[in-house]
Amino acid sequence: MFKTSILFTALLSAVAFASVSAAPVQTEGTGIGKHGEIKLAVTFDNGKIQDIKVLEDHENKVLAAKVFTDLKDAVIANNSVKVDGIADATFSSKGFLNAVSDAAKKAGVKLSDQAKKAKKADAAMPAVQNYDVVVIGAGGAGFAAAVEAKSKGANVVLIEKMPTVGGNSLISGAEMNVPNSWVQNKLNIKDDTPARMAADTLKGGDFKGDPEIVGVMTVNALPTAEWLRDTVGVNFEKDNVFQFGGHSRKRALIPEGHTGTEVITKFSALADKMGIPVITNMKAEELVKDKDGRVVAVKAVSADKEYTFNAKGGVVLATGGFGANAQMVKKTTDAPGTTGEALYMAEKAGGQLVNMGYIQTYPICDPISGVIELIADARFDGAILVNQEGKRFVEELERRDVISNAILKQPGAYCYVLWNDNIGKISNTVKIHDTEYQAFTKQGIMHTSDTLKGAADFFHIPYANLKATVDRVNQMAKDGGKDLDFHNRGGLKDLSTGKYYIIKAVPSIHHTMGGVRINPKAEALDKNGKPVPGLYAAGEVTGCTHGTNRLGGNAYTDIMVFGRIAGEQAAQAAKATK
């Protein structure tokens, strides 16, 4: 009887304990990503994270994919936010981790302070692999090369050192300059030609670009854009083109969404359909040459394991520039992978590097992170640039280098972009990038006001000066839009009524003009101007196209045209060796 009572009492105690034990608790947390608020629902059980659900986000779906999978798994596994973020999604990672921290704080849960590195998966694949063409770099140029080579019958592999694909091609606006395009024809822009675009390009680069290379780019711009539309499946806006600084005509096609997401997602899907292996976290380290001096392989490393990718037809370098090289720059709009190792690889293999001294800044960037303020591209639709004194100081549609240099000469080396609802209503740029409004406002670098005085006061701009500037702009807008002060080639727009939107901006490293010297066949050239057998290059890794300064919209044309050419030439070389 006594033993039974003890057992019964123990059972009662266990039941009582279970009844008062803490049930799983779910709380919501928020953080600011690159493009706006990230909202999560985090479930905790006995102080441990059990699950994380994404309720809301506005991030780039390609870059942020591993944030919401790999990073999420690492946070749950470690019960900690002290884990490595996704390398090429820094701000999305930070916003995600901050949202988890916010949820934990609301739940009264203390997460682990242990900093643990995420384990990298080592793919079970052969250390030596054989292909016709090896493409290094899974951005726009790399995908264009790989798809074109595959379509010509080559066996292709695409290797990428970062955990995700896309590079600068993904995070850019992805506008592509194309003369005589179907959109121009629809908008009755009938007088644009490859020769006109070539003249603009050479002038924009102070005539330091290679005229032959520029000519190949401009002549092939339209058929390449049609290939992107009809073969790759890229959707471009049907009734809108941009006129970037330095261009004499509106000619930049605009992909849906105004970023490279539309292009890279379509390329990724096509590469998968075509059976092109895309291997991420694979860092190329050396180009291998045979006894005859031909580049025949790539040595690479992933998760501390060495691999060799043999390339019968050749190797295509499509790795981007060196804008993210920490030894060269402090702030940059470039993807983290653009650190320039391929330039040294190419040089070691015999290639010549040219125009390495020319680096371009993008004038309108976030003072905190250095990323482009895409919403501030409202300047293409009539927004004005003013300094801390409330005065205009440069044409808003000038060359990027000219605007950047002008900003750096202003008090504090920054400026403001100002527009109103009238411009916001007609600007597809503002509409598409409205999620940036939330992020930049919370950072304190953007403000909305019903009155011009409110906009001035928020950033301590002398109101009388700003009012005088806006009054003059309004008068010129009323008189037909002709800019008598700075000759804005797009014409001035009325700013007489609110709401007003104002954002602080600084120049940031955006594009490196120098790189591998190539010929019209995208073959890498040596110091004597002769091709390095088996080595091709396309995109920002090359140095012949843009001279001292790249005009907006020319990068996508460059990478797509020469990406295709490089892939085709390497595929033909592979056939010739069979």
Side-chain angles (χ1 to χ4, degrees):
M1 181 72 179
F2 179 72
K3 291 182 179 178
T4 303
S5 298
I6 292 175
L7 178 61
F8 182 70
T9 302
L11 288 171
L12 284 176
S13 299
V15 171
F17 177 78
S19 67
V20 298
S21 294
V25 175
Q26 186 181 86
T27 58
E28 293 184 5
T30 58
I32 300 299
K34 185 174 181 180
H35 297 291
E37 190 171 78
I38 296 174
K39 184 180 293 185
L40 306 176
V42 184
T43 301
F44 301 93
D45 190 5
N46 290 321
K48 301 286 187 181
I49 300 174
Q50 299 299 312
D51 190 26
I52 302 173
K53 287 186 171 60
V54 181
L55 302 179
E56 178 185 345
D57 83 277
H58 308 280
E59 302 306 281
N60 184 299
K61 62 183 178 181
V62 178
L63 281 181
K66 292 200 174 186
V67 172
F68 302 130
T69 53
D70 293 11
L71 183 59
K72 167 188 167 181
D73 292 344
V75 168
I76 294 173
N78 292 290
N79 198 46
S80 174
V81 294
K82 301 291 187 179
V83 295
D84 290 342
I86 303 302
D88 44 1
T90 305
F91 295 100
S92 299
S93 298
K94 183 178 179 181
F96 180 88
L97 295 174
N98 285 342
V100 174
S101 296
D102 183 44
K105 183 178 180 180
K106 291 175 181 176
V109 172
K110 181 174 175 56
L111 299 176
S112 173
D113 288 329
Q114 289 284 74
K116 296 182 180 180
K117 291 185 177 294
K119 293 182 179 179
K120 293 183 179 180
D122 187 3
M125 58 184 180
V128 178
Q129 301 182 48
N130 299 315
Y131 292 92
D132 293 330
V133 178
V134 176
V135 181
I136 308 175
F143 270 113
V147 168
E148 188 68 20
K150 184 72 173 182
S151 71
K152 296 296 188 291
N155 183 21
V156 185
V157 65
L158 185 55
I159 63 175
E160 165 62 49
K161 73 177 182 179
M162 302 303 288
T164 57
V165 301
N168 280 347
S169 302
L170 176 67
I171 63 177
S172 75
E175 296 88 359
M176 178 178 178
N177 288 322
V178 180
N180 196 29
S181 72
W182 63 94
V183 183
Q184 282 182 320
N185 290 335
K186 183 178 180 180
L187 298 175
N188 204 34
I189 302 173
K190 303 289 188 181
D191 61 346
D192 201 12
T193 64
R196 183 185 293 277
M197 178 176 164
D200 288 347
T201 299
L202 290 169
K203 180 181 179 181
D206 297 318
F207 301 98
K208 295 292 186 180
D210 185 326
E212 190 174 17
I213 295 296
V214 172
V216 170
M217 178 182 76
T218 57
V219 167
N220 286 281
L222 179 57
T224 298
E226 292 171 336
W227 173 77
L228 285 170
R229 181 193 64 191
D230 301 334
T231 299
V232 183
V234 175
N235 292 316
F236 294 99
E237 291 194 349
K238 295 179 173 58
D239 55 3
N240 189 22
V241 285
F242 271 168
Q243 181 176 3
F244 285 104
H247 290 286
S248 57
R249 295 292 183 275
K250 290 185 175 183
R251 61 167 65 103
L253 295 176
I254 307 166
E256 285 187 356
H258 289 226
T259 74
T261 302
E262 167 68 13
V263 181
I264 296 301
T265 53
K266 296 295 175 62
F267 262 134
S268 296
L270 182 57
D272 185 60
K273 182 179 179 180
M274 297 176 75
I276 300 172
V278 180
I279 306 173
T280 57
N281 289 311
M282 182 64 68
K283 183 181 179 182
E285 293 196 328
E286 183 181 351
L287 299 174
V288 180
K289 301 173 77 172
D290 65 13
K291 58 183 178 60
D292 297 320
R294 181 179 184 83
V295 175
V296 294
V298 177
K299 287 187 177 181
V301 173
S302 180
D304 299 323
K305 182 177 178 180
E306 295 182 355
Y307 295 88
T308 297
F309 295 89
N310 291 319
K312 183 185 295 184
V315 174
V316 177
L317 295 179
T319 53
F322 52 89
N325 189 314
Q327 294 180 338
M328 299 181 184
V329 296
K330 292 183 178 179
K331 286 186 179 178
T332 176
T333 67
D334 286 356
T338 56
T339 49
E341 300 97 331
L343 298 175
Y344 301 111
M345 290 165 53
E347 191 172 40
K348 187 176 179 181
Q352 183 186 20
L353 305 184
V354 295
N355 290 330
M356 291 296 290
Y358 301 128
I359 298 175
Q360 180 188 71
T361 56
Y362 194 86
I364 309 299
C365 300
D366 175 6
I368 298 172
S369 68
V371 301
I372 296 175
E373 296 170 342
L374 292 171
I375 195 170
D377 278 353
R379 66 191 171 93
F380 299 129
D381 299 304
I384 62 172
L385 303 183
V386 298
N387 60 18
Q388 186 61 52
E389 296 173 347
K391 300 176 181 179
R392 290 178 71 211
F393 55 91
V394 69
E395 183 205 350
E396 288 79 3
L397 294 182
E398 249 292 6
R399 286 171 26 172
R400 292 172 175 177
D401 59 333
V402 174
I403 297 177
S404 295
N405 289 335
I407 292 172
L408 294 174
K409 293 178 181 177
Q410 303 311 304
Y414 57 81
C415 74
Y416 300 99
V417 185
L418 175 72
W419 69 95
N420 66 348
D421 270 338
N422 290 336
I423 292 172
K425 289 175 183 176
I426 66 170
S427 174
N428 284 341
T429 297
V430 172
K431 295 173 185 175
I432 289 294
H433 299 298
D434 61 341
T435 57
E436 289 190 350
Y437 168 87
Q438 182 184 63
F440 289 139
T441 298
K442 285 196 173 185
Q443 288 178 10
I445 63 169
M446 185 171 181
H447 184 67
T448 304
S449 175
D450 290 329
T451 65
L452 185 64
K453 187 175 189 306
D457 289 348
F458 184 84
F459 285 113
H460 308 291
I461 300 170
Y463 172 61
N465 289 356
L466 185 61
K467 184 178 185 303
T469 295
V470 171
D471 285 347
R472 178 157 176 78
V473 168
N474 292 339
Q475 184 60 53
M476 290 187 284
K478 183 178 179 181
D479 294 338
K482 186 176 181 181
D483 182 3
L484 302 177
D485 297 331
F486 296 98
H487 312 291
N488 186 306
R489 66 201 75 188
L492 297 174
K493 302 294 190 299
D494 184 79
L495 292 168
S496 59
T497 59
K499 294 183 176 179
Y500 292 94
Y501 305 86
I502 186 168
I503 187 168
K504 187 176 182 179
V506 299
S508 186
I509 298 298
H510 182 57
H511 193 96
T512 52
M513 264 62 69
V516 181
R517 182 185 176 193
I518 61 171
N519 63 16
K521 294 182 178 180
E523 295 173 306
L525 302 179
D526 64 18
K527 61 182 180 180
N528 297 315
K530 294 182 178 180
V532 177
L535 185 59
Y536 306 86
E540 195 176 349
V541 74
T542 66
C544 303
T545 311
H546 307 292
T548 63
N549 171 70
R550 178 180 66 79
L551 298 185
N554 271 357
Y556 245 72
T557 312
D558 183 24
I559 65 178
M560 295 302 168
V561 167
F562 284 101
R564 292 186 72 196
I565 291 173
E568 180 181 26
Q569 292 298 315
Q572 289 179 357
K575 288 182 179 180
T577 61
K578 292 181 179 179

